[in-house]
Amino acid sequence: MRFCCVAVDRIHGGLVELLAAAQPSGAWIRQEQGLLGLGVAAQTSASGADRFADLAHWWDSLSWQGPSLNGLPAGAGPTAFSSITYSSDSSSASRLILPELILAVTEQETWLTGVAVSEGAGAEQEVPLDQLLQKHGLRLDDGALSALSASPAAVPQAQLHAGTHPEQHYMDAVEAGVAAIGERRLEKLVLARDAVAAAEAPLPPGPLLARLTRDYSDCWTYRAGDVLGATPEMLVQVRGEELFARVLAGTVDRSLGEQGARVQLVENPKQRNEHTLAVESLLEQLAPVSAQLRAQTPPAVLELPNVYHLSTDVTGRLSTAEEGAEPISPLLVAERAHPTAAICGTPTATAAGLIGALEDIDRGPFSGPVGWVDTRGNADVGIALRGGVLEDEDRQLRLYAGCGIVAGSEPASELAETWAKMRPMLGALGLKR
């Protein structure tokens, strides 16, 4: 694979305006910074229990011809966007997508990477950057990047429909989950459901992602393959040997107001217990690959436009590899962390079995790892929450949301929480519920 990197002095209108006018194959954006991918230079898919390892092997096996990336920020240079299914037995495929163009924006600098397939061993052709820019409707002139057309595609009117099951099915599942917890079969169970937004014309991902980025600027707006959304939860972030994660569990709706939400989250034993279980599960799962793990205490209250969460940041360092051994792939670090109690339950094996029986849906990439990985071992891997999956030639978006069920959970309240968690995508679609 061949690549080139050029510095960009400014983006006309800013990253979000560029996103709105684009047709991104990948996105990872927070507060006007992050990554935007256009087109596909190469991609692979994997399924089953070895999906993480298969994707990591494919990425590590690629060979590169291009300039040195020393001193450039994480995400500059060849970078692939990943979407990995929640379950190993999902009918959906896990994917790794290498775009033709990758825009990496930090607070201090911006880099544009062009990628092309080598035309033979030892090929040293230049990357046709001008052609790639024109292909994707962009212009780079004297260090300024702009879209050839500043008019974003219109988002067609969508209609909201029931998902795989009616709402009562979800409330029955919650009731059964609470009963299992009461029988001491497990401590926590996360149950999800789906709904469908359907339109007569394809739903353009660029404008949808731009709306999410504007409305939920403290979340990571993502796209990888068919999955897109705005997640507040970082599964693992890797910068060399440095490791970071953000655990969210314990949720209340914005309707309670800031003070009422803080009281409910901080003083309610149900909320604190749900959060503690999620933090402890992540620490336990990362322990084999990390050292010096530290969890923020007490947890913070994270305020988002639709809900409040209890939030704990976790930091640490990846364990030093044995002398001569290859560093562990960030995708395999993510495999260690997945699934957390925040999206599965405790104990994990018991919760996973009940999820399959009670939800009766294929989550696909929902609640699975989503993000990006570069060629230098850096990565951001979030959890695919607050989003959906494009279907039916992009004319349909299947929305997903789930709730942590613990002792004392009430079915009607949990159903209402799922609608609150679907609010980001509903808002981007111009729908209300």
Side-chain angles (χ1 to χ4, degrees):
M1 305 294 291
R2 298 170 286 140
F3 73 94
C4 65
C5 281
V6 296
V8 175
D9 295 330
R10 67 184 180 89
I11 301 173
H12 182 73
L15 178 59
V16 179
E17 290 299 320
L18 186 65
L19 173 64
Q23 290 292 327
S25 55
W28 186 261
I29 298 170
R30 182 174 182 264
Q31 296 179 344
E32 288 275 356
Q33 299 175 36
L35 299 175
L36 175 62
L38 299 172
V40 177
Q43 62 180 319
T44 193
S45 60
S47 301
D50 294 330
R51 63 200 187 285
F52 288 88
D54 290 345
L55 294 178
H57 175 74
W58 179 82
W59 182 241
D60 292 341
S61 70
L62 297 179
S63 58
W64 302 100
Q65 299 169 359
S68 170
L69 299 174
N70 290 339
L72 271 61
T79 300
F81 292 85
S82 62
S83 167
I84 302 176
T85 57
Y86 164 78
S87 173
S88 61
D89 60 8
S90 173
S91 62
S92 298
S94 300
R95 302 178 66 187
L96 205 57
I97 300 164
L98 172 65
E100 294 177 313
L101 290 174
I102 303 117
L103 188 65
V105 181
T106 72
E107 188 175 0
Q108 293 81 24
E109 55 190 321
T110 299
W111 288 89
L112 178 67
T113 300
V115 178
V117 178
S118 298
E119 297 178 0
E124 297 181 356
Q125 303 94 340
E126 291 186 2
V127 175
L129 184 60
D130 288 342
Q131 294 179 25
L132 292 177
L133 287 166
Q134 185 175 16
K135 175 182 178 181
H136 296 290
L138 299 177
R139 176 193 296 115
L140 184 61
D141 187 17
D142 291 331
L145 185 67
S146 59
L148 296 177
S149 173
S151 300
V155 177
Q157 181 63 45
Q159 302 293 326
L160 189 60
H161 304 280
T164 307
H165 302 290
E167 293 182 347
Q168 186 60 49
H169 178 276
Y170 184 74
M171 291 193 288
D172 292 343
V174 172
E175 186 175 358
V178 172
I181 292 168
E183 295 167 0
R184 300 185 181 276
R185 294 166 59 189
L186 72 171
E187 297 175 83
K188 176 185 175 180
L189 175 66
V190 179
L191 293 174
R193 69 180 192 90
D194 62 353
V196 173
E200 294 185 358
L203 295 162
L208 291 177
L209 292 170
R211 292 178 181 181
L212 288 171
T213 302
R214 294 188 186 102
D215 294 343
Y216 294 84
S217 60
D218 286 332
C219 295
W220 289 274
T221 297
Y222 62 87
R223 184 185 189 189
D226 295 329
V227 62
L228 70 164
T231 181
E233 192 153 359
M234 179 70 75
L235 182 63
V236 288
Q237 180 184 77
V238 179
R239 295 293 184 272
E241 293 183 353
E242 300 296 325
L243 180 69
F244 168 81
R246 172 168 290 172
V247 181
L248 302 181
T251 307
V252 295
D253 193 87
R254 285 295 299 259
S255 61
L256 291 177
E258 181 177 359
Q259 187 59 35
R262 289 181 181 276
V263 170
Q264 275 280 62
L265 288 171
V266 174
E267 298 182 8
N268 188 319
K270 170 189 176 295
Q271 302 285 0
R272 288 297 294 267
N273 180 52
E274 179 184 344
H275 186 77
T276 298
L277 291 171
V279 174
E280 289 177 347
S281 78
L282 181 70
L283 294 174
E284 180 180 350
Q285 289 168 219
L286 284 177
V289 295
S290 358
Q292 305 173 28
L293 282 173
R294 297 177 297 275
Q296 165 193 6
T297 184
V301 175
L302 178 65
E303 178 183 356
L304 296 174
N306 58 325
V307 293
Y308 290 90
H309 290 291
L310 279 176
S311 171
T312 292
D313 288 350
V314 174
T315 58
R317 294 177 64 84
L318 293 179
S319 301
T320 304
E322 297 178 5
E323 187 173 352
E326 291 292 327
I328 185 171
S329 166
L331 293 173
L332 299 183
V333 177
E335 182 180 26
R336 278 285 182 179
H338 175 77
T340 69
I343 50 100
C344 179
T346 306
T348 302
T350 305
L354 271 177
I355 284 172
L358 297 180
E359 283 185 354
D360 192 27
I361 60 172
D362 184 348
R363 290 189 183 184
F366 168 70
S367 69
V370 65
W372 60 267
V373 58
D374 69 14
T375 56
R376 291 166 287 162
N378 302 306
D380 279 5
V381 183
I383 301 177
L385 305 172
R386 313 296 192 269
V389 180
L390 288 166
E391 302 174 338
D392 189 23
E393 298 181 338
D394 295 352
R395 291 191 296 267
Q396 181 169 291
L397 187 63
R398 187 171 298 274
L399 313 178
Y400 292 87
C403 299
I405 310 304
V406 295
S409 292
E410 299 177 352
S413 297
E414 303 302 333
L415 176 65
E417 185 177 316
T418 64
W419 282 118
K421 289 177 175 177
M422 288 182 186
R423 202 173 295 153
M425 284 306 313
L426 290 174
L429 291 163
L431 297 173
K432 293 183 179 180
R433 173 58 172 79

